């Protein structure tokens, strides 16, 4: 039950159509101080229509607000302040959560429409970077949130597995490559071949054209080129899957750039048909002057296709395959021009679904305040970071709870959860300073803190040694009330997180809920055997359900002991 909606309805009903429910809803505020009630309706805007002072309107309105869910309604200045009835509301909220379990907060506005999310999308033969981590965890969380809102999510990993760089890589491999070394440590070896290529190419002018020639062969379907490329791709995917497994992230499709190899001619054809192609220094481009954007490059002068060409083909393919209602691209901000160009070309082609495509950018992961750079060695490899986080979590567990069973599993859940939470608690578009230490703190706004709170709630329920029944009464203390209010707002937090495509709203919410829970725990003798025992346990269980579901949406697991 959304009490703000409920209050808005009561206001609208009492005002004889002066305001719609929606208008009333938008005016309602949440008072800063508990002494001003739980909800407040300001009457300023009504003064003109009623030709009365806002204060008088508030007074008249307040008397009409009699309701079993309202303990007290008070006119204060221009405001109607409502104090919800703690016992009645607590009963409703907690009973609903116990009944619905993890489905509490499910929304239906997605109407089972399809939303495709393009995220993670690393480049093969290159290390998985922190930027790709951000895309992976943000994209995966948004997909979970969209599903919670009633959408059907399709998770797509648009692997960077095509482009001139693979011609270069093949050229480098033919010159200096060592098959067995690559098999041992594929990404590292392939990446150093790539770096070597660029170093040598500065003096050896022959190299660049060799690289181009190999890419040409690749695009023309040459057997050897294709075999080597496929091998690089398979080896890289093995590496990536280890990371996805650690992170607990999965995809519905790994159709990367190469998949669109035979689907680009179709796009070129459509562009030609509609006279959208022009020539520029031998290359083919779509001019986007009217949008004040630089032209979108479709084919190079040697006939090679580009990143944008493949994205155009991918968009058309995805629409034909999934008939999506919305398509998101969770990709770093540095590609924002690219996506503007791609979306604009699709619009020019007359695809009205192009309007449903959104680039969802995110801030940088910084190290010592500076952008990470693979070339300059200022880089933290994701797998190393995850492993270190797991090791640190293991140390923590050994110190705090040496007797814990399945230590390894819990350390993985906590270490990985810490990294994911740290990423997601920052507003999506802000930059983040990378700090393993901060991620793994058990206190403060961290993943382990929320997980720890969840484990605590589980332990209380275990210690109670009694089954919780779903008949609630009481729960009227300030501390329990804080929890109940937060629990009641979970659905609207999910809706907002979807609206802003920002999982940080949920991360902040679970922190607030964990804090409210811990302060309740500090102030309340939960396990005392009195007539409210069952209600207190039910509140603990409701909080546990919502903490777990909140973390699940973020892609974080919840051990029951840690
Ligand atoms: N592989 C690209 C990169 O690492 C990201 C791809 C994003 N998705 C897309 N459809 N362009 O920069």
């Amino acid at each position: 039950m959304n009490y703000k909606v409920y209050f808005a309805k009561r206001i609208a009903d009492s005002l004889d159509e002066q305001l719609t429910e929606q208008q009333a809803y938008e005016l309602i505020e949440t008072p800063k101080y508990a002494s001003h009630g739980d909800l407040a309706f300001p009457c300023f805007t009504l003064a003109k229509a009623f030709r009365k002072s806002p204060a008088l309107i508030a007074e008249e309105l307040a008397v009409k607000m009699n309701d079993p869910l309202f303990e007290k309604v008070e006119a204060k200045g221009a405001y109607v302040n409502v104090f919800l009835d703690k016992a009645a509301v607590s009963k409703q909220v907690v009973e609903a959560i116990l009944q619905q379990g993890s489905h509490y907060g499910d929304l239906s506005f997605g109407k089972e429409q399809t939303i495709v999310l393009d995220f993670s999308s690393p480049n093969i033969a290159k290390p998985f970077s922190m930027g790709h981590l951000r895309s992976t965890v943000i994209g995966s969380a948004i997909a979970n949130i969209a599903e919670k809102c009633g959408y059907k999510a399709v998770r797509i990993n648009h692997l960077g597995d095509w482009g001139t760089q693979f011609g270069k890589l093949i050229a480098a491999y033919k010159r200096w490559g060592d098959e067995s070394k690559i098999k041992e440590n594929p990404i590292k070896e392939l990446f150093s071949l790539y770096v070597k290529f660029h170093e040598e190419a500065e003096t050896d002018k022959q190299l660049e054209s060799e690289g181009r020639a190999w890419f040409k062969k690749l695009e023309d379907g040459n057997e050897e080129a294709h075999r080597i490329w496929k091998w690089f791709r398979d080896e890289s995917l093995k590496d990536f899957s280890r990371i996805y497994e650690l992170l607990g992230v999965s995809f519905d499709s790994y159709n990367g750039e190469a998949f669109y190899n035979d689907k680009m001619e179709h796009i070129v054809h459509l562009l030609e048909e509609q006279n959208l192609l022009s020539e520029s220094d031998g290359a083919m481009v779509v001019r986007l002057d009217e949008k004040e954007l630089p032209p979108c490059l479709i084919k190079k002068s040697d006939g090679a296709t580009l990143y944008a060409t493949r994205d155009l083909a991918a968009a058309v393919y995805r629409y034909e395959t999934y008939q999506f209602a919305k398509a998101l691209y969770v990709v770093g901000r540095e590609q924002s021009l690219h996506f503007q160009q791609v979306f604009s070309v699709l619009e020019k082609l007359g695809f009205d679904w192009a309007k449903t495509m959104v680039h969802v950018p995110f801030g940088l992961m910084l190290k010592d305040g500076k952008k990470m750079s693979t070339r300059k060695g200022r880089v933290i490899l994701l797998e190393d970071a995850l492993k270190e986080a797991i090791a640190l979590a293991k140390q923590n567990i050994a110190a705090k709870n040496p007797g814990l069973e399945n230590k390894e599993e819990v350390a993985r859940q906590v270490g990985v959860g810490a990294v994911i939470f740290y990423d997601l608690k920052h507003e999506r578009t802000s930059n983040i300073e990378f700090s393993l230490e901060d991620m793994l703190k058990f206190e403060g706004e961290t993943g382990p803190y929320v997980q720890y709170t969840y484990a605590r709630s589980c332990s209380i329920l275990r210690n109670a040694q009694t089954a919780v029944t779903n008949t609630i009464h009481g729960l009227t203390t300030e501390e329990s009330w804080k929890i109940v209010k937060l629990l009641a707002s979970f659905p609207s937090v999910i809706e907002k997180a979807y609206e802003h495509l920002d999982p940080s709203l949920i991360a902040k919410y679970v922190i607030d809920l964990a804090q409210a829970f811990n302060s309740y725990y500090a102030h309340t003798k939960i396990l005392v055997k009195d007539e409210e025992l069952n209600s207190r346990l039910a509140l603990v269980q409701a909080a546990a359900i919502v903490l777990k579901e909140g973390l699940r949406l973020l892609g974080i697991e919840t051990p029951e002991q840690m």
Side-chain angles (χ1 to χ4, degrees):
M1 161 84 87
N2 184 328
Y3 297 95
K4 195 166 151 186
V5 171
Y6 187 80
F7 182 36
K9 185 163 172 20
R10 290 301 321 272
I11 293 276
D13 288 349
S14 312
L15 283 175
D16 306 324
E17 329 260 287
Q18 267 311 317
L19 278 185
T20 65
E21 218 176 294
Q22 184 61 29
Q23 288 168 325
Y25 181 85
E26 276 157 25
L27 286 171
I28 293 172
E29 301 171 13
T30 309
K32 260 215 194 89
Y33 305 103
S35 62
H36 290 177
D38 301 303
L39 296 164
F41 178 76
C43 298
F44 304 104
T45 50
L46 297 171
K48 214 167 157 198
F50 286 106
R51 298 199 202 153
K52 283 182 202 161
S53 77
L56 191 57
I57 300 171
E59 250 169 64
E60 290 175 0
L61 207 48
V63 259
K64 290 194 208 156
M65 285 290 119
N66 222 332
D67 192 296
L69 282 180
F70 301 163
E71 182 181 282
K72 185 166 80 177
V73 183
E74 212 173 60
K76 197 157 193 168
Y79 285 86
V80 180
N81 293 340
V82 163
F83 296 75
L84 295 169
D85 185 286
K86 295 190 180 63
V89 169
S90 298
K91 181 177 168 63
Q92 267 193 356
V93 171
V94 173
E95 287 183 358
I97 296 172
L98 260 50
Q99 212 167 53
Q100 296 165 34
S102 63
H103 285 294
Y104 175 66
D106 282 7
L107 302 169
S108 57
F109 65 83
K111 301 192 192 112
E112 286 176 50
Q113 300 177 95
T114 297
I115 177 168
V116 303
L117 300 102
D118 178 321
F119 65 98
S120 195
S121 310
N123 302 318
I124 65 166
K126 276 197 182 174
F128 198 105
S129 70
M130 281 293 164
H132 292 116
L133 168 74
R134 296 223 64 200
S135 170
T136 307
V137 301
I138 294 171
S140 177
I142 294 177
N144 296 338
I145 294 166
E147 283 172 336
K148 186 90 180 156
C149 294
Y151 286 96
K152 225 179 121 298
V154 178
R155 296 162 170 82
I156 300 178
N157 195 329
H158 188 77
L159 283 177
D161 58 2
W162 205 254
T164 39
Q165 69 270 33
F166 299 107
K168 296 178 185 175
L169 197 57
I170 296 175
Y173 174 68
K174 293 294 281 183
R175 284 220 190 173
W176 313 293
D178 176 338
E179 184 174 336
S180 61
K181 266 171 130 183
I182 294 178
K183 281 202 168 128
E184 243 166 69
N185 204 337
I187 302 253
K188 186 164 164 275
E189 278 309 313
L190 292 175
F191 187 59
S192 61
L193 278 179
Y194 181 79
V195 172
K196 187 170 169 96
F197 180 96
H198 284 279
E199 281 164 8
E200 300 281 326
E202 286 186 13
T203 48
D204 185 346
K205 295 297 159 207
Q206 188 58 29
L207 262 178
E208 286 285 349
S209 61
E210 260 176 59
R212 262 198 305 278
W214 274 110
F215 184 55
K216 184 88 182 95
K217 282 191 192 173
L218 197 53
E219 287 219 296
D220 292 344
N222 170 281
E223 196 274 332
E224 184 185 13
H226 195 266
R227 183 168 40 79
I228 300 176
W229 165 83
K230 171 122 184 356
W231 177 48
F232 291 168
R233 185 182 193 272
D234 291 345
E235 292 294 338
S236 305
L237 266 184
K238 272 190 224 157
D239 261 25
F240 294 155
S241 349
R242 271 207 322 277
I243 293 174
Y244 293 134
E245 211 162 293
L246 264 182
L247 290 172
V249 168
S250 60
F251 295 92
D252 300 294
S253 160
Y254 278 91
N255 287 339
E257 295 187 45
F259 178 78
Y260 300 100
N261 213 5
D262 61 357
K263 298 175 179 62
M264 285 181 283
E265 260 328 294
H266 176 58
I267 294 292
V268 175
H269 182 71
L270 287 178
L271 290 168
E272 263 166 358
E273 236 175 30
Q274 302 197 30
N275 268 325
L276 294 172
L277 279 183
S278 36
E279 219 204 276
S280 164
D281 291 334
M284 285 202 257
V285 305
V286 177
R287 304 198 62 99
L288 299 167
D289 305 319
E290 72 284 3
K291 297 235 171 184
E292 291 177 32
L293 293 173
C296 181
L297 216 58
I298 303 293
K299 260 190 185 184
K300 288 194 193 166
S301 51
D302 64 0
T305 58
L306 291 116
Y307 184 49
T309 329
R310 290 184 280 283
D311 255 328
L312 291 167
V316 171
Y317 174 84
R318 288 175 193 172
Y319 189 74
E320 284 171 359
T321 310
Y322 305 111
Q323 280 91 45
F324 54 77
K326 198 162 181 156
L328 306 183
Y329 294 82
V330 185
V331 184
R333 201 195 316 276
E334 63 280 5
Q335 295 193 26
S336 117
L337 174 61
H338 163 77
F339 285 108
Q340 284 179 52
Q341 291 176 309
V342 168
F343 300 164
S344 303
V345 172
L346 291 168
E347 257 173 55
K348 282 187 99 138
L349 278 169
F351 294 122
D352 53 1
W353 46 261
K355 289 193 293 290
T356 69
M357 311 188 103
V358 186
H359 174 212
V360 185
F362 47 82
L364 296 169
M365 187 76 91
L366 305 175
K367 197 177 165 208
D368 307 321
K370 294 198 199 91
K371 192 178 160 160
M372 292 188 187
S373 146
T374 329
R375 289 285 180 80
K376 299 202 178 96
R378 199 173 48 243
V379 66
I380 297 164
L381 298 186
L382 178 62
E383 207 169 354
D384 296 346
L386 287 174
K387 285 192 177 137
E388 211 173 310
I390 294 170
L392 269 172
K394 211 184 278 176
Q395 279 176 22
N396 267 332
I397 292 168
K400 290 201 170 197
N401 192 355
L404 183 68
E405 282 168 35
N406 60 345
K407 272 197 208 104
E408 300 283 322
E409 171 71 353
V410 175
R412 186 190 60 76
Q413 293 172 322
V414 174
V416 172
V419 174
I420 298 178
F421 193 89
Y422 185 78
D423 188 303
L424 293 182
K425 79 167 179 178
H426 292 86
E427 219 173 285
R428 170 166 55 77
T429 51
S430 60
N431 292 342
I432 307 181
E433 176 65 32
F434 182 85
S435 159
L436 262 189
E437 242 170 278
D438 287 347
M439 290 177 189
L440 280 159
K441 287 188 179 137
F442 273 63
E443 293 302 321
E445 305 182 344
T446 67
Y449 172 72
V450 183
Q451 285 174 320
Y452 189 70
T453 307
Y454 174 77
R456 169 176 276 168
S457 68
C458 292
S459 128
I460 297 170
L461 294 168
R462 268 194 312 273
N463 293 336
Q465 292 182 327
T466 145
V468 178
T469 65
N470 204 358
T471 40
I472 315 301
H473 59 91
L475 298 181
T476 52
T477 66
E478 279 311 316
E479 283 78 26
S480 67
W481 184 232
K482 260 199 210 135
I483 301 183
V484 169
K485 281 217 279 189
L486 280 167
L487 293 176
S489 70
F490 187 49
S492 60
V493 172
I494 293 167
E495 187 171 353
K496 255 209 204 108
Y498 178 77
E499 191 189 318
H500 296 274
L501 300 172
D502 192 350
S504 73
L505 292 164
I506 291 179
K508 293 203 175 86
Y509 171 84
V510 290
I511 286 285
D512 289 345
L513 182 55
Q515 281 169 352
F517 182 87
N518 286 317
S519 119
Y520 176 70
Y521 177 77
H523 287 92
T524 317
K525 293 200 171 68
I526 297 175
L527 292 176
V528 180
K529 292 211 164 72
D530 60 14
E531 73 282 5
E532 260 191 53
L533 171 63
N534 181 71
S535 300
R536 286 191 300 270
L537 290 175
L539 180 66
V540 170
Q541 191 166 341
I545 288 170
V546 173
L547 282 174
K548 186 183 174 87
E549 179 63 2
L551 287 177
R552 183 192 70 81
L553 292 173
L554 300 177
I556 297 173
E557 293 177 56
T558 34
E560 297 192 353
Q561 296 187 48
M562 60 187 269

